Amino acid sequence: MSDINETKIYLSEKEIPTHWYNIMADMPNLPQPALNPQTRQPAEPPDLISIFPMDLIMQEVSQERFIEIPEEVRNLYKLWRPSPVFRAHRLEKALDTPAKIFYKYEGLSPAGSHKLNTAIPQVYYNKKAGIKRLTTETGAGQWGSALGMACNFFGLECVVYMVKISYQQKPYRRSLMQLFGSQVFASPSENTNVGRQFLAQDPNSPGSLGMAISEAVEDAVGRPDTNYALGSVLNHVIIHQSVIGLEAQAQMAKVDAYPDIVIACCGGGSNFAGIGFPYVYNNLTKNDKVRVIAVEPEACPTLTRGTFTYDFGDVSGMTPLLSMYTLGKDFMPAGIHAGGLRYHGGSPLVSQLLHDGLIEAKAVNQKGIFEAALTFARSEGIVPAPEASHAIKGAIDEALACKESGESKTILFCLSGHGHFDMTAYDNYLSGQIQDFSLPQETLDEAIKKLPKV
Amino acid sequence: MSDINETKIYLSEKEIPTHWYNIMADMPNLPQPALNPQTRQPAEPPDLISIFPMDLIMQEVSQERFIEIPEEVRNLYKLWRPSPVFRAHRLEKALDTPAKIFYKYEGLSPAGSHKLNTAIPQVYYNKKAGIKRLTTETGAGQWGSALGMACNFFGLECVVYMVKISYQQKPYRRSLMQLFGSQVFASPSENTNVGRQFLAQDPNSPGSLGMAISEAVEDAVGRPDTNYALGSVLNHVIIHQSVIGLEAQAQMAKVDAYPDIVIACCGGGSNFAGIGFPYVYNNLTKNDKVRVIAVEPEACPTLTRGTFTYDFGDVSGMTPLLSMYTLGKDFMPAGIHAGGLRYHGGSPLVSQLLHDGLIEAKAVNQKGIFEAALTFARSEGIVPAPEASHAIKGAIDEALACKESGESKTILFCLSGHGHFDMTAYDNYLSGQIQDFSLPQETLDEAIKKLPKV
């Protein structure tokens, strides 16, 4: 038994989970099936085999509760896992709150975020299927650098389409991918048909995740040695990220602490699902009553103001249609610093659980995010990524509510990544250049009109 | 007992050392005493009281073997300590060596390097002495950001004179200091008399650590509420860093592994002494025969090509004269990427031990450093700081020697910091723009001529 008054709660490498958790075994309503983009009929495994290996396709549709983690994947997880849970003693003191605040820190991964949790198994299964080359998109660069690192570990080529504005604003993230041997293109690029079309429409396009996905998918579809990899949204990604929550549960139990509230930021939904779903599982099967809260940006409020329906994952309509909360594939979010949360859609699993009232969502604005990030950094020492700072803001809000009510709740949040490559954003904040965004309802209505008919 | 085949060896927070180790209790010859810069007589504590608190001055001259770590310092150490020792399984495999390679990783500190080990106690003792404001210099910015973070923790103001070329080349390090509330000046600056003098001599001066020290000392001497803090070289700094080696010994013992060779990079000498001196202690008192090797840059070869004599710590001759290996305070090292190793002098303790043949030193060149860094990053995942990469290069050389000889030696090195703020250097390396430096003997002879007479 560890001591709740210590700062960090560790597990040994032997306590890395042996299995991932799959919430599809337990949710009362499964998401509507993905649809083939041409036929608009439920997509079958053969529809996906041109871009994904069969092992991942089978995980995508699996209803097995626990899926064994391959030995080779667990061995690579040992480079940084189990990740520590910190008790935020100094933050609690700074807020003068009776709440107990814990955070699971995924930023100690060598790629700097939780993304490596799924990059490693994705590359593993692709290699097993004989694939030599993977394509992907990246926004802020956290996913691209994780996949690049994982490809390097397994000896696969990695081609990353990086959203142009991030490519320009975050040159260090690009350097990191190149250091691990990845080829990086600013998207939209001249490298694909769809990229050339985007450029013809707008030569100065800043790019978007939806566009970059279209490029990466086109690149993969055309080459038999090449598959595509996605860093969030899909069920197999959500499954891989369950290591976060499974470890956290073991760690919290070691100090006999049980969260009342679990919080994470939410873009595509993978780190949120990673820490949250093992707690939803307990809610569903053990009658626990843990509040599980997704925090998203006001500038891209997929879960709080989106529509629950079918939409494409990319801009050009090449991916299967997914049942999810969406702002419409043509919605162009403002250039907020949390580039990893600038995505029009949400994970079908997260969306379905939200629709069924089994989790919560809230949106927060940019100035508040950075204020929370600074409070956190100055008390805990860690400089958080702007994405992860949404979770911090959510946790601080709950801790201050406890101060108001005098309740001593236990709050656990996922600190999904560090901000070492985001210092420009902090410069802007400290010099008063960060602005809030308020999204008019008409903008949302406009994008929703263009949703595909199914 | 942990398992030698695991990847990481952890200690619990309870195993953070309770005492620092002070090699002055055990070395056969103490360094010659520091000299007052005016009188050239041995400096007495009152000579230093205008810039250091008495607790640190007493540590500077202490011959007590173990010095208790204050509770408040140990509590802050818990934010990241004990730091893990990693077994470099994947690097061993990449090198195909029979050697066992371990590294103590200090880059998980929230400031990103070992510097926080001494920043925290230095600020603690200054606060205890009623000081409100600390000044310092920084090169690459690792020390400045550590001191800024520690000042923020204790509520002291922090003023950093950052070598101008680094200020320009590493804007993210400056941002990091500002995020923690530090005031940062590019040195030479208009803020001090000595800074204005340097600028008058050369308005385009890129600055140097020696110049920045002069500015920081001048700023502190003039104000009773202000002290000065140094991130390396001095005995009290060396003492604080002993937590690295003390922890490493406990960790290696847990897997029943004992290093034949201990390696660290060496600029001022603090991380080298930190990991190395507890092993020198065992050599001196338990008849161990561990080789302890300092690795420095060819472009600034203080230990391998310097002179063992008295010199100033700064350019303008404001600091006490220290007995050390030095290239001469006027020596201007080339603009290598390992900015933290661009210092003309060495720690008196390291210098004395080298002079007495109790440790070893070697110099390595820049291309080899980056080649080693890339090999390391691609096998272990961690992107190392250019400074720390000198230790990697040293370790790889020894591991390859083992491959040659067929010996299975155990190598332990200190990975003193991550390279997340040094990606420009990697860009340059990957695009073929990194060059080696060969330092003509005449250049060294020239600088040595200007050594102060004592």
Side-chain angles (χ1 to χ4, degrees):
Chain A
M1 180 67 70
S2 302
D3 180 345
I4 197 166
N5 293 314
E6 299 282 287
T7 299
K8 302 177 296 301
I9 313 165
Y10 279 112
L11 300 175
S12 74
E13 287 176 12
K14 292 186 177 65
E15 295 171 283
I16 293 174
T18 55
H19 293 72
W20 292 300
Y21 169 63
N22 175 13
I23 203 163
M24 286 185 277
D26 296 297
M27 54 202 297
N29 301 304
L30 284 172
Q32 295 295 307
L35 302 182
N36 179 302
Q38 274 86 45
T39 65
R40 310 273 159 123
Q41 296 302 307
E44 299 291 333
D47 295 337
L48 299 168
I49 200 71
S50 67
I51 55 170
F52 293 123
M54 192 49 79
D55 282 329
L56 291 179
I57 295 171
M58 295 317 291
Q59 288 181 8
E60 195 61 24
V61 296
S62 171
Q63 290 184 40
E64 209 181 325
R65 180 170 293 120
F66 292 105
I67 296 175
E68 192 170 6
I69 305 176
E71 189 63 21
E72 216 173 326
V73 171
R74 283 187 86 232
N75 277 338
L76 279 164
Y77 276 174
K78 291 179 186 173
L79 288 177
W80 78 102
R81 303 209 72 84
S83 67
V85 165
F86 285 75
R87 170 81 184 270
H89 287 296
R90 295 177 49 85
L91 178 63
E92 290 171 17
K93 212 168 162 187
L95 300 174
D96 188 24
T97 174
K100 291 187 188 68
I101 308 176
F102 295 84
Y103 56 97
K104 176 79 168 164
Y105 187 30
E106 292 292 309
L108 299 178
S109 120
S113 81
H114 67 291
K115 294 289 187 185
L116 205 52
N117 297 331
T118 184
I120 288 173
Q122 287 196 47
V123 179
Y124 167 82
Y125 289 118
N126 273 291
K127 180 170 184 165
K128 202 176 141 203
I131 291 296
K132 308 286 185 211
R133 183 172 172 274
L134 282 178
T135 68
T136 197
E137 75 293 332
T138 200
Q142 301 223 348
W143 165 243
S145 46
L147 191 71
M149 187 177 286
C151 280
N152 155 75
F153 286 153
F154 286 100
L156 269 70
E157 278 182 65
C158 183
V159 179
V160 182
Y161 292 88
M162 184 173 189
V163 175
K164 193 181 278 170
I165 188 162
S166 295
Y167 184 93
Q168 290 162 346
Q169 283 179 347
K170 309 207 174 188
Y172 280 17
R173 276 273 171 206
R174 171 186 50 70
S175 310
L176 187 61
M177 291 183 257
Q178 289 168 338
L179 192 156
F180 286 98
S182 303
Q183 211 181 347
V184 187
F185 295 102
S187 169
S189 78
E190 295 284 352
N191 212 45
T192 61
N193 291 324
V194 67
R196 288 186 289 271
Q197 282 166 28
F198 293 137
L199 285 172
Q201 286 157 25
D202 177 6
N204 299 317
S205 169
S208 72
L209 277 171
M211 287 180 182
I213 293 174
S214 294
E215 290 207 87
V217 170
E218 181 189 314
D219 185 329
V221 168
R223 291 181 54 163
D225 66 341
T226 300
N227 267 348
Y228 165 74
L230 188 65
S232 190
V233 177
L234 298 181
N235 304 346
H236 65 269
V237 180
I238 303 288
I239 289 170
H240 301 158
Q241 293 294 357
S242 65
V243 287
I244 303 174
L246 294 170
E247 284 181 8
Q249 289 181 328
Q251 286 161 305
M252 296 295 280
K254 279 209 175 188
V255 296
D256 210 13
Y258 301 89
D260 300 297
I261 309 172
V262 174
I263 298 173
C265 70
C266 195
S270 75
N271 100 83
F272 167 72
I275 195 159
F277 284 7
Y279 286 97
V280 176
Y281 170 53
N282 285 358
N283 287 349
L284 289 169
T285 61
K286 297 179 188 167
N287 214 20
D288 279 5
K289 305 249 182 278
V290 179
R291 290 177 58 203
V292 179
I293 307 175
V295 186
E296 63 181 9
E298 284 273 14
C300 193
T302 314
L303 298 177
T304 50
R305 296 174 72 189
T307 303
F308 185 64
T309 183
Y310 270 110
D311 196 4
F312 291 105
D314 69 326
V315 169
S316 67
M318 295 172 73
T319 70
L321 288 148
L322 301 175
S323 163
M324 60 185 178
Y325 280 96
T326 178
L327 297 166
K329 71 181 175 54
D330 296 300
F331 174 78
M332 177 63 87
I336 55 170
H337 285 282
L341 307 182
R342 289 178 72 235
Y343 185 60
H344 67 276
S347 138
L349 294 174
V350 171
S351 298
Q352 186 68 46
L353 290 171
L354 180 65
H355 188 68
D356 292 345
L358 297 169
I359 57 173
E360 302 172 39
K362 69 181 273 188
V364 290
N365 222 320
Q366 218 177 197
K367 280 187 198 166
I369 300 307
F370 277 94
E371 188 191 359
L374 206 67
T375 301
F376 180 80
R378 289 187 174 175
S379 39
E380 297 291 311
I382 297 168
V383 179
E387 290 83 1
S389 302
H390 288 69
I392 296 172
K393 169 69 175 156
I396 288 180
D397 285 351
E398 293 294 337
L400 292 177
C402 283
K403 185 178 175 180
E404 195 77 19
S405 68
E407 289 169 288
S408 174
K409 290 186 184 165
T410 297
I411 300 167
L412 169 68
F413 71 91
C414 183
L415 189 69
S416 52
H418 65 62
H420 299 167
F421 297 95
D422 302 287
M423 295 309 296
T424 310
Y426 284 97
D427 270 356
N428 290 347
Y429 175 67
L430 291 170
S431 59
Q433 290 173 63
I434 291 278
Q435 48 178 323
D436 280 344
F437 291 94
S438 131
L439 197 58
Q441 189 57 40
E442 305 84 73
T443 311
L444 294 177
D445 293 344
E446 203 55 42
I448 287 300
K449 275 192 209 143
K450 298 188 194 154
L451 278 176
K453 302 280 174 290
V454 288
Chain B
M1 180 66 70
S2 302
D3 179 346
I4 197 166
N5 293 314
E6 300 282 287
T7 299
K8 302 178 296 300
I9 312 165
Y10 278 113
L11 300 175
S12 74
E13 286 176 13
K14 292 186 179 63
E15 295 171 282
I16 292 173
T18 56
H19 292 72
W20 291 301
Y21 168 63
N22 175 12
I23 202 162
M24 287 184 277
D26 297 297
M27 54 203 296
N29 301 306
L30 284 172
Q32 294 296 308
L35 303 182
N36 179 303
Q38 274 86 46
T39 65
R40 310 271 159 124
Q41 295 303 307
E44 299 292 332
D47 294 338
L48 299 168
I49 200 71
S50 67
I51 53 169
F52 292 123
M54 192 49 78
D55 282 330
L56 291 179
I57 295 172
M58 295 317 291
Q59 288 181 8
E60 195 61 24
V61 297
S62 170
Q63 291 185 40
E64 208 180 327
R65 180 171 292 119
F66 292 105
I67 296 174
E68 192 170 6
I69 306 177
E71 189 64 21
E72 215 172 327
V73 171
R74 284 187 86 232
N75 278 337
L76 278 164
Y77 277 174
K78 290 179 186 173
L79 288 176
W80 79 102
R81 302 211 72 83
S83 67
V85 165
F86 284 75
R87 170 82 185 271
H89 287 297
R90 295 177 49 84
L91 178 63
E92 290 171 18
K93 212 167 162 185
L95 300 174
D96 188 25
T97 174
K100 291 187 189 68
I101 308 176
F102 295 84
Y103 56 97
K104 175 80 169 163
Y105 186 31
E106 292 291 308
L108 299 179
S109 120
S113 81
H114 67 291
K115 294 288 186 185
L116 205 52
N117 297 331
T118 184
I120 287 173
Q122 287 195 45
V123 179
Y124 167 83
Y125 289 118
N126 273 291
K127 179 170 184 166
K128 201 174 141 205
I131 291 297
K132 309 287 185 210
R133 183 171 172 274
L134 283 177
T135 67
T136 196
E137 74 294 330
T138 199
Q142 301 223 347
W143 165 242
S145 46
L147 191 70
M149 188 177 285
C151 280
N152 156 77
F153 287 153
F154 286 101
L156 269 70
E157 279 181 64
C158 184
V159 179
V160 183
Y161 293 88
M162 184 172 189
V163 175
K164 192 182 279 170
I165 188 163
S166 295
Y167 184 93
Q168 290 162 345
Q169 283 179 347
K170 308 206 173 188
Y172 279 16
R173 274 274 170 205
R174 172 186 49 70
S175 310
L176 187 61
M177 291 183 257
Q178 290 168 337
L179 192 156
F180 286 98
S182 304
Q183 211 181 348
V184 188
F185 294 102
S187 168
S189 79
E190 294 284 352
N191 212 45
T192 62
N193 291 323
V194 66
R196 287 185 291 269
Q197 282 166 27
F198 293 136
L199 285 172
Q201 285 158 25
D202 178 6
N204 299 316
S205 168
S208 72
L209 276 171
M211 287 181 183
I213 293 175
S214 294
E215 289 207 87
V217 171
E218 180 189 315
D219 185 329
V221 167
R223 292 181 54 162
D225 67 341
T226 301
N227 267 348
Y228 164 75
L230 188 64
S232 191
V233 178
L234 297 181
N235 303 347
H236 65 270
V237 180
I238 303 288
I239 290 170
H240 300 158
Q241 293 294 358
S242 65
V243 287
I244 303 174
L246 294 171
E247 284 181 7
Q249 289 181 327
Q251 286 162 304
M252 297 295 281
K254 280 208 173 189
V255 296
D256 210 14
Y258 301 90
D260 300 297
I261 309 172
V262 174
I263 299 172
C265 70
C266 195
S270 75
N271 101 83
F272 167 71
I275 196 160
F277 284 6
Y279 286 97
V280 175
Y281 171 52
N282 286 358
N283 287 350
L284 289 170
T285 61
K286 298 179 187 166
N287 215 18
D288 278 5
K289 305 250 182 276
V290 178
R291 290 177 59 202
V292 179
I293 308 175
V295 186
E296 63 181 8
E298 284 273 16
C300 192
T302 313
L303 298 177
T304 51
R305 296 175 71 190
T307 304
F308 185 63
T309 183
Y310 271 110
D311 197 3
F312 292 105
D314 70 326
V315 170
S316 66
M318 296 173 71
T319 71
L321 288 149
L322 301 175
S323 163
M324 59 185 180
Y325 280 97
T326 178
L327 298 166
K329 71 180 174 55
D330 296 299
F331 174 77
M332 178 62 89
I336 54 170
H337 285 282
L341 307 182
R342 288 179 72 234
Y343 185 61
H344 67 275
S347 140
L349 294 174
V350 170
S351 297
Q352 187 67 46
L353 290 171
L354 180 65
H355 188 69
D356 292 344
L358 297 169
I359 57 173
E360 302 172 37
K362 68 182 274 188
V364 291
N365 223 319
Q366 217 177 198
K367 280 187 199 166
I369 300 306
F370 278 95
E371 187 189 1
L374 206 67
T375 301
F376 180 80
R378 291 186 173 175
S379 38
E380 297 291 312
I382 298 168
V383 179
E387 291 84 0
S389 303
H390 288 69
I392 296 172
K393 170 68 175 155
I396 288 179
D397 285 351
E398 293 295 336
L400 292 177
C402 283
K403 184 177 175 178
E404 197 76 20
S405 68
E407 288 170 288
S408 174
K409 289 187 185 165
T410 297
I411 301 166
L412 168 68
F413 71 91
C414 183
L415 189 68
S416 53
H418 65 64
H420 299 167
F421 298 95
D422 303 288
M423 296 308 297
T424 310
Y426 284 97
D427 269 356
N428 289 348
Y429 176 67
L430 291 170
S431 59
Q433 290 173 63
I434 292 279
Q435 48 178 323
D436 279 345
F437 292 94
S438 132
L439 197 57
Q441 188 57 41
E442 305 85 72
T443 310
L444 294 176
D445 293 345
E446 202 57 41
I448 287 300
K449 276 191 211 145
K450 298 188 193 155
L451 278 175
K453 303 279 173 292
V454 289

